[in-house]
Amino acid sequence: MNSTSGGQRIAVIDIARLAAALGVLIFHASGAAQVPKFRLPPFTVFGHTIDWLPSPFSFGATGVSLFFVVSGYCMYRSLSANPQPLLSYYRNRLARIYPLYFVAVLFSAVAMAVLGFAVTAPEVAVVLLFLHGFVKRYNLSLNGALWSMATEVQFYIVLPLLLRWARWIGLDRFAILAIMLSLVFRVIVQLAGGHEATSGGLALDTFLMNLLPGRAAEFAIGMWIAGTDSARARRYAKWLIVPAGIIGIGAKASGIAFAAEPMLGVFYGSLLIFALGGARWFGSTRGIIPLLGRASYALFLIHLPIAVLLYPLLPHDWGLYRQFAALLAMTLAVALPAALALHLFVELPLFDRLRTHRRGAEPRLAAAGGDGGAP
């Protein structure tokens, strides 16, 4: 994809990240406000009670699929434009994601303790080391948004091998095989059962599908977009966006889990292709929206414990919808400034201090669309 300038591309990616983070925030705020996950609470219209509408707030959870697509896109472009030794690559990834992640885990542990939940040292250690992606008991511990970071780290670890594989067999074949791998893995998991939530409030099939093999399609789609000619990518997206959206959203709403995330990856990938093609309409990297987009990683990490801490402050006699609206407004009012502060005074300074510096690397990274795809 090479039809727009680097600055415009970064603006598109920043806005995509912000949209994904806000979608996940809305989903978590609705859950913290006790809004049912699958159907809206009953309400009356012209004397008729409506109790069958699916909850649109839960669709915000699919923002994780957009994060994964963007991550695959950014990492492929960054490493293609700026090859680096393996140890430098891992050090830079750690410098990019870990300082904020460390702060978020500790903040989440303190928040849970303040709310009266038991927080153990092994639990905190498992989450700090990204091992909760492999331990179902702790997968949603401390902060339910952090499970995706474990999957993201799994992708970072194997990415050098994936890049070699993609170059060996070709990016088209690589993307098709990754999508097929995800679908086959997810079908096997769904057929094996384990649909009931157990320890940690998480069903076994959901836990297994969120391992990297189950989410490989979304990362691979992003990589394919980054390495494919823009005109060719738009031709595919034109035909895929509607059916992929219908299948992905329908599968998500109806519980056909094996098809949901891979098809949502195709849907969000198609949206990203069109957004990149019209990047000039998104403006430059200046302004509050792109800035919030650059702070979206911090927003993603801290919004849930903030929402959970704020919920007890709401009056108990308010209706469910009023409580949700108030909690959403309060969470945004607190989380957005906090995320900006963390981005400016923690994320950027520590990344600059901890990463491996290479002469002349920064301009190439900027032209590639940023330093990576952390949510």
Side-chain angles (χ1 to χ4, degrees):
M1 302 283 290
N2 53 15
S3 62
T4 60
S5 72
Q8 290 170 322
R9 287 192 177 282
I10 296 172
V12 172
I13 296 302
D14 288 340
I15 292 170
R17 286 185 177 129
L18 179 60
L22 289 176
V24 176
L25 184 151
I26 291 170
F27 166 65
H28 284 143
S30 70
Q34 312 299 316
V35 176
K37 184 176 181 179
F38 298 107
R39 281 187 170 79
L40 290 176
F43 60 94
T44 302
V45 178
F46 300 118
H48 296 281
T49 299
I50 308 295
D51 59 1
W52 48 268
L53 281 179
S55 173
F57 310 125
S58 294
F59 184 72
T62 68
V64 174
S65 291
L66 177 55
F67 273 135
F68 288 164
V69 171
V70 169
S71 182
Y73 174 87
C74 289
M75 293 306 301
Y76 185 91
R77 287 186 63 85
S78 293
L79 292 182
S80 296
N82 181 43
Q84 46 190 283
L86 194 62
L87 289 179
S88 294
Y89 160 71
Y90 286 128
R91 178 176 173 178
N92 288 337
R93 283 293 85 210
L94 196 64
R96 170 69 175 88
I97 67 170
Y98 202 72
L100 274 187
Y101 182 80
F102 183 84
V103 171
V105 171
L106 295 188
F107 171 59
S108 301
V110 171
M112 294 301 100
V114 167
L115 291 169
F117 294 94
V119 177
T120 66
E123 178 182 18
V124 174
V126 166
V127 179
L128 280 173
L129 295 173
F130 300 106
L131 297 177
H132 57 299
F134 301 104
V135 183
K136 187 168 79 71
R137 176 183 178 185
Y138 294 136
N139 191 249
L140 299 178
S141 286
L142 304 180
N143 180 340
L146 300 183
W147 70 263
S148 63
M149 286 305 303
T151 306
E152 187 88 20
V153 168
Q154 293 166 31
F155 170 65
Y156 292 156
I157 290 172
V158 301
L159 179 58
L161 292 176
L162 295 180
L163 287 172
R164 289 190 177 186
W165 184 27
R167 289 165 184 157
W168 179 47
I169 66 173
L171 200 52
D172 287 357
R173 291 190 183 93
F174 169 78
I176 292 170
L177 286 174
I179 293 171
M180 291 176 61
L181 168 67
S182 282
L183 287 171
V184 170
F185 179 83
R186 295 169 72 89
V187 166
I188 293 172
V189 168
Q190 188 157 20
L191 290 177
H195 309 307
E196 298 298 322
T198 54
S199 63
L202 183 66
L204 178 61
D205 59 346
T206 301
F207 167 72
L208 292 175
M209 287 186 191
N210 284 331
L211 293 170
L212 182 61
R215 308 303 294 252
E218 293 138 287
F219 293 110
I221 289 165
M223 293 170 66
W224 180 84
I225 294 169
T228 302
D229 175 78
S230 57
R232 181 168 178 261
R234 283 196 295 273
R235 285 198 299 271
Y236 280 100
K238 180 176 66 174
W239 293 104
L240 291 174
I241 186 170
V242 173
I246 292 172
I247 295 171
I249 295 170
K252 192 72 172 176
S254 58
I256 307 175
F258 78 89
E261 275 71 28
M263 290 301 100
L264 286 169
V266 175
F267 172 67
Y268 280 126
S270 300
L271 286 178
L272 183 63
I273 288 168
F274 287 120
L276 290 167
R280 64 186 181 276
W281 301 108
F282 289 86
S284 70
T285 57
R286 298 178 180 178
I288 187 62
I289 300 300
L291 178 59
L292 289 173
R294 292 191 289 277
S296 61
Y297 178 43
L299 179 64
F300 180 84
L301 293 177
I302 66 170
H303 72 270
L304 182 53
I306 289 174
V308 173
L309 285 171
L310 291 174
Y311 177 70
L313 304 179
L314 295 173
H316 296 297
D317 57 346
W318 283 7
L320 202 57
Y321 288 108
R322 191 178 176 187
Q323 281 194 329
F324 167 57
L327 182 61
L328 179 60
M330 292 166 61
T331 302
L332 287 169
V334 175
L336 287 174
L340 279 173
L342 286 171
H343 171 66
L344 294 172
F345 302 114
V346 177
E347 182 180 6
L348 293 181
L350 289 180
F351 174 56
D352 189 61
R353 177 175 297 182
L354 296 174
R355 66 174 170 161
T356 300
H357 288 277
R358 296 182 65 199
R359 182 174 297 175
E362 289 78 4
R364 290 197 296 275
L365 281 171
D371 178 59

